[in-house]
Amino acid sequence: MHGIDSTVTHSSSSALADLGEFGLISRITAGVRTHESVITGIGDDAAVTALSAGMQLLTSTDMLLEDVHFRRVWHDPYRLGRKSLAVSISDIAAMGGSPRWALLSLAIPSDLPLEFIDNFMRGFLTMASENRVALIGGDTCSSRIGLTISVTVMGEQFPDRIVRRAGALPDDDIWVTGTVGDAALGLRLLERGETVSDELLSRLLDPNPQVSAALALAEAGLVTSMIDVSDGVLADYGHIAEQSGVGGCLRLDALPLSAAFRRHTAALPAVPYQLALSGGEDYELCFTAPRSDREKIGDCVKKCGIAVTRIGIVTSSPGVTAVTTDGTPYSAQTKGFNHFT
Ligand code: ADP
Ligand code: MG
């Protein structure tokens, strides 16, 4: 598409300028593989894809802005490429959908090394192939304010298997996969210039979307609502509660914390519930399900090699609270991780 003044081609004498817009697009898309569901992929004005018979289309998009969502000093290009796609795949998974197709739009500073773009694409396309997602198009232009990445992922699913935020029922259990708070703790440690263990760092820089667990739960019809945890379980379960017209009570002592999380926070006077409850970027699944299906839920998720933990109960009265071991309500604002700020 035309820019109002200059494109990558004219803006500077960098390696990117030498390559030009179309050379750059060729380079970005060089590693893209064909896929049976893609009838016309990259190279035409629009991509043509075939939905599986009887399925509906799920679409989600995310932007990642330099110095807002990532910093080039912390996020190496390979893992940034993986994460750019992972966060949108996670949204499709949280609906119970199978991720299938992706669009990638990049606004690239003219001094960005070509090597950065090559490694970014290697990461992006590795995440794509791990999840059987085909890159079918995008847009490429120059940026004067840092690298901007916009990713759209489309997926598909049978209508009766799609899981929404609305659907949680009073007395359902509230569940979460994996562990929470690791990515947020990793970020806090980076911000403070402290050493961060590889486990925490990879939770932050290379999140793993829980596609197989989400699909297994959706296809077994076991869950009443589901969301991916990008803003912390408290806020994200809050979205489920709001959309379902219910409330919830979360048990702090039930929150699944990783060994690395416990190790890093052991020296602190208070257990840092703030990060576990409200730290972002876990990309785990939070879902609700009837109490009668506890065993089935455990079996279903364990088959995917994923741990799952009951962290609370859906209430009929609105509002989401968190309680400590003795049942005292916990105020997320006043306690928790102040030691780290
Ligand atoms: P148009 O001018 O029609 O927008 P472009 O020249 O921008 O077309 O893009 C040419 C082709 O390359 C299109 O198929 C587009 O989807 C694809 N494309 C451009 N940038 C990217 C990108 N960053 N990732 C994947 N495909 C891209
Ligand atoms: Mg274009």
Side-chain angles (χ1 to χ4, degrees), residues 1 21 25 138-140:
M1 202 174 65
E21 181 181 338
I25 294 175
D139 200 19
T140 306

Side-chain angles (χ1 to χ4, degrees), residues 1-2 21-22 24-26 28-29 32 41-47 102-106 108 121 124 135-141:
M1 202 174 65
H2 215 70
E21 181 181 338
F22 298 107
L24 183 56
I25 294 175
S26 300
I28 287 170
T29 59
V32 175
I42 289 164
D44 216 314
D45 294 315
L103 297 165
L104 168 64
S105 295
L106 296 168
I108 303 175
M121 287 312 300
F124 188 96
L135 180 60
I136 57 168
D139 200 19
T140 306
C141 60

Side-chain angles (χ1 to χ4, degrees), residues 216-247:
L217 288 165
E219 285 171 3
L222 284 171
V223 293
T224 49
S225 71
M226 188 152 61
I227 192 168
D228 68 325
V229 183
S230 52
D231 298 326
V233 274
L234 187 62
D236 288 317
Y237 175 72
H239 297 312
I240 285 185
E242 202 179 327
Q243 303 244 341
S244 302
V246 295

Side-chain angles (χ1 to χ4, degrees), residues 16-234:
L16 277 182
D18 296 340
L19 203 55
E21 181 181 338
F22 298 107
L24 183 56
I25 294 175
S26 300
R27 191 159 176 143
I28 287 170
T29 59
V32 175
R33 299 212 200 111
T34 55
H35 196 276
E36 55 180 345
S37 66
V38 181
I39 297 153
T40 302
I42 289 164
D44 216 314
D45 294 315
V48 184
T49 52
L51 275 176
S52 303
M55 288 199 180
Q56 292 179 334
L57 184 67
L58 296 149
T59 309
S60 183
T61 195
D62 285 288
M63 290 183 81
L64 282 91
L65 309 188
E66 183 168 353
D67 296 330
V68 176
H69 300 99
F70 67 92
R71 293 206 200 159
R72 264 193 265 163
V73 287
W74 293 339
H75 293 78
D76 60 277
Y78 178 79
R79 288 191 287 191
L80 184 62
R82 289 180 61 85
K83 182 170 178 175
S84 301
L85 181 57
V87 299
S88 294
I89 286 179
S90 177
D91 284 320
I92 299 295
M95 300 288 293
S98 291
R100 292 269 191 266
W101 309 286
L103 297 165
L104 168 64
S105 295
L106 296 168
I108 303 175
S110 53
D111 61 353
L112 193 76
L114 273 178
E115 204 186 17
F116 187 102
I117 299 171
D118 293 344
N119 286 325
F120 175 92
M121 287 312 300
R122 219 165 34 83
F124 188 96
L125 293 174
T126 306
M127 177 59 64
S129 77
E130 283 171 12
N131 289 282
R132 276 160 286 145
V133 167
L135 180 60
I136 57 168
D139 200 19
T140 306
C141 60
S142 61
S143 166
R144 302 211 179 110
I145 49 152
L147 177 61
T148 297
I149 304 156
S150 168
V151 177
T152 301
V153 174
M154 286 159 283
E156 57 179 2
Q157 188 50 281
F158 293 109
D160 60 346
R161 290 181 178 176
I162 294 172
V163 184
R164 292 174 173 79
R165 294 179 180 184
L169 295 168
D171 278 341
D172 277 356
D173 289 315
I174 305 168
W175 296 81
V176 72
T177 58
T179 59
V180 292
D182 297 318
L185 176 59
L187 180 62
R188 290 290 175 93
L189 293 170
L190 278 180
E191 283 171 347
R192 285 165 54 99
E194 295 184 18
T195 41
V196 191
S197 70
D198 286 346
E199 290 147 284
L200 294 178
L201 209 54
S202 72
R203 287 299 306 270
L204 175 68
L205 302 182
D206 193 10
N208 185 27
Q210 299 292 8
V211 180
S212 58
L215 273 173
L217 288 165
E219 285 171 3
L222 284 171
V223 293
T224 49
S225 71
M226 188 152 61
I227 192 168
D228 68 325
V229 183
S230 52
D231 298 326
V233 274
L234 187 62

